[in-house]
Amino acid sequence: MKLTIERTALLTSLSHVQSVVERRNTIPILANILMEARDGFLGLTATDLDIAINEKVAANIETEGATTIPAHLLYDIIRKLPEGSQVELDYKSAEERIYVRSGQSKFALACLPQDDFPIMETNQLPHNFVLSASILKRLIDKTRFAISTEETRYYLNGIYLHTAETDGVPMLRAVATDGHRLARVETPIPTDAEGIPGVIVPRKAVSEILRLIDERDEPVSISLSDTKICFSFGETVLTSKLIDGTFPDYERVIPAGNDKVLELDGKTFAQAVDRVSTVATEKTRAIKLSLSTDLITLSATGADAGSASEEVAAAYGSEGMEIGFNSKYLLDITGQIDGENARFLFADAGSPTIVRDSADEGALYVLMPMRV
């Protein structure tokens, strides 16, 4: 295999695929990326056995072929080459080495056989539909903060993607919860997505797909089965295994009778929560909200740091009440509010609170209170 490629193009594709590769690997081949040169393209593939990313990039190919190369080492080498330079990759199968040349620089890297590289099959994915990158980004970005990191409850370690009805309208929903807070975001169901099984997309796959589509706004083709999901856009394909578990009936924790409505400027409120929580005890991060007519008072007390309070103007006309929250969880939710106003719906100090975004009716958040 021998080819020449522009450094920036190679670096961009390497940055997309190499992040899947774990820094420490007990299986040597998983520390490598598969490199395939054919038909005017260089194909790069990386996997950790749960996720695989494949990307093609145009290259001037002199001799077609394939091998596997240490992912992070190659990425670091290409990153340190001068901007705008041309990179020559020359694989000598007899030596099991690849020579990387650019200007006066020359590197020789040991390779492992391509036959040892595990390929994730994507043939049997019966459900196929298309979403715009911006809609997929919204579904992921507004829910991923609530993904649980508790490995014992593995079925909460991802985003639950499924179909549901809202007021008789079919929707595609993304839901995540860790038991303390819940995020539910929905969008009108795309063509061909009706009838898809409910699937749990793992946390790592969620982070990778968000990183890949972050600067794009092209359609994303999504294919899935009960065990795998595949995202395709441009020359990039991400395939991931799904979490084999049953997502809990989240509808049961979304309260229906919360009738005390508080409306206020979301950004002003978030800044006040951030300031007051500075003194909160590190372990609980507890902050108290005292509600009275058109006013909310935030207060926090720390074991050693002292106390803090701040008043924020708000639209509130129900009876006065006090309720406590974990300030970090409260900030995570207010950080998702895009509109000017956030709307809180309370029942009492011991019941879950609903938070809505004035600019996004498809987003709903539930936050469990705590004693303060």
Side-chain angles (χ1 to χ4, degrees):
M1 180 181 79
K2 190 174 182 181
L3 61 100
T4 307
I5 187 169
E6 204 271 318
R7 176 248 181 204
T8 304
L10 178 58
L11 184 66
T12 301
S13 288
L14 279 173
S15 70
H16 290 164
V17 300
Q18 61 94 33
S19 65
V20 171
V21 180
E22 299 290 347
R23 284 282 173 186
R24 292 177 181 170
N25 265 304
T26 51
I27 306 170
I29 195 70
L30 296 183
N32 284 18
I33 55 169
L34 174 64
M35 203 173 254
E36 300 173 286
R38 58 174 56 96
D39 302 327
F41 284 93
L42 176 64
L44 304 170
T45 307
T47 185
D48 65 358
L49 297 181
D50 291 321
I51 303 175
I53 298 182
N54 172 266
E55 185 160 320
K56 287 181 180 177
V57 58
N60 182 9
I61 295 168
E62 197 174 310
T63 310
E64 293 188 347
T67 188
T68 79
I69 307 167
H72 298 304
L73 186 57
L74 181 64
Y75 176 73
D76 286 342
I77 287 169
I78 303 303
R79 182 172 56 84
K80 292 174 181 180
L81 292 175
E83 206 168 311
S85 58
Q86 293 291 314
V87 180
E88 183 186 271
L89 301 173
D90 186 4
Y91 171 57
K92 306 286 188 187
S93 56
E95 301 173 33
E96 288 196 345
R97 283 185 177 277
I98 190 164
Y99 293 91
V100 182
R101 301 183 186 93
S102 182
Q104 302 305 308
S105 304
K106 180 181 177 182
F107 303 85
L109 308 180
C111 300
L112 290 172
Q114 70 163 116
D115 294 342
D116 295 347
F117 193 86
I119 300 297
M120 196 178 282
E121 295 297 331
T122 57
N123 306 351
Q124 306 297 316
L125 301 178
H127 303 279
N128 303 279
F129 61 96
V130 177
L131 270 183
S132 75
S134 57
I135 289 174
L136 180 59
K137 207 179 300 179
R138 170 177 164 266
L139 289 175
I140 292 174
D141 217 12
K142 286 180 173 286
T143 54
R144 69 189 181 117
F145 72 90
I147 295 174
S148 175
T149 54
E150 203 177 309
E151 297 302 332
T152 51
R153 302 167 81 189
Y154 65 94
Y155 47 84
L156 298 181
N157 294 164
I159 290 177
Y160 181 44
L161 196 65
H162 62 296
T163 57
E165 281 195 2
T166 300
D167 300 329
V169 180
M171 292 284 185
L172 179 67
R173 265 188 201 164
V175 179
T177 182
D178 61 2
H180 303 289
R181 61 254 169 100
L182 178 144
R184 189 194 79 188
V185 179
E186 59 188 18
T187 189
I189 198 163
T191 309
D192 301 326
E194 289 185 28
I196 65 166
V199 297
I200 308 171
V201 186
R203 187 194 311 114
K204 186 173 178 181
V206 164
S207 300
E208 289 297 334
I209 193 65
L210 190 62
R211 193 176 56 79
L212 289 169
I213 64 173
D214 195 35
E215 295 170 4
R216 299 172 183 248
D217 196 19
E218 57 194 288
V220 179
S221 298
I222 302 173
S223 309
L224 58 87
S225 67
D226 291 326
T227 57
K228 281 181 191 161
I229 190 164
C230 180
F231 300 89
S232 310
F233 44 95
E235 298 294 342
T236 307
V237 179
L238 181 145
T239 308
S240 173
K241 290 179 181 176
L242 296 166
I243 291 175
D244 183 15
T246 303
F247 201 81
D249 181 9
Y250 64 88
E251 293 282 9
R252 288 190 306 123
V253 303
I254 300 176
N258 288 18
D259 54 357
K260 297 181 177 70
V261 182
L262 166 79
E263 194 149 338
L264 77 179
D265 183 288
K267 286 185 173 53
T268 303
F269 177 67
Q271 289 163 359
V273 170
D274 196 22
R275 281 190 291 269
V276 172
S277 65
T278 309
V279 302
T281 309
E282 188 66 32
K283 189 178 177 184
T284 62
R285 299 194 181 99
I287 188 168
K288 184 163 73 175
L289 279 60
S290 303
L291 280 64
S292 55
T293 305
D294 291 342
L295 188 71
I296 178 171
T297 304
L298 309 174
S299 59
T301 306
D304 305 314
S307 60
S309 67
E310 184 168 339
E311 292 183 345
V312 179
Y316 182 73
S318 301
E319 64 189 75
M321 66 175 284
E322 292 185 343
I323 189 167
F325 294 110
N326 178 309
S327 58
K328 181 186 179 301
Y329 297 162
L330 193 55
L331 283 170
D332 282 343
I333 288 177
T334 53
Q336 308 307 316
I337 306 296
D338 292 331
E340 278 190 21
N341 289 342
R343 192 161 74 252
F344 289 75
L345 291 89
F346 303 98
D348 55 59
S351 301
T353 295
I354 290 177
V355 185
R356 304 298 298 251
D357 183 349
S358 64
D360 188 351
E361 281 301 316
L364 176 145
Y365 307 97
V366 179
L367 183 57
M368 296 299 292
M370 65 186 294
R371 285 186 183 161
V372 288

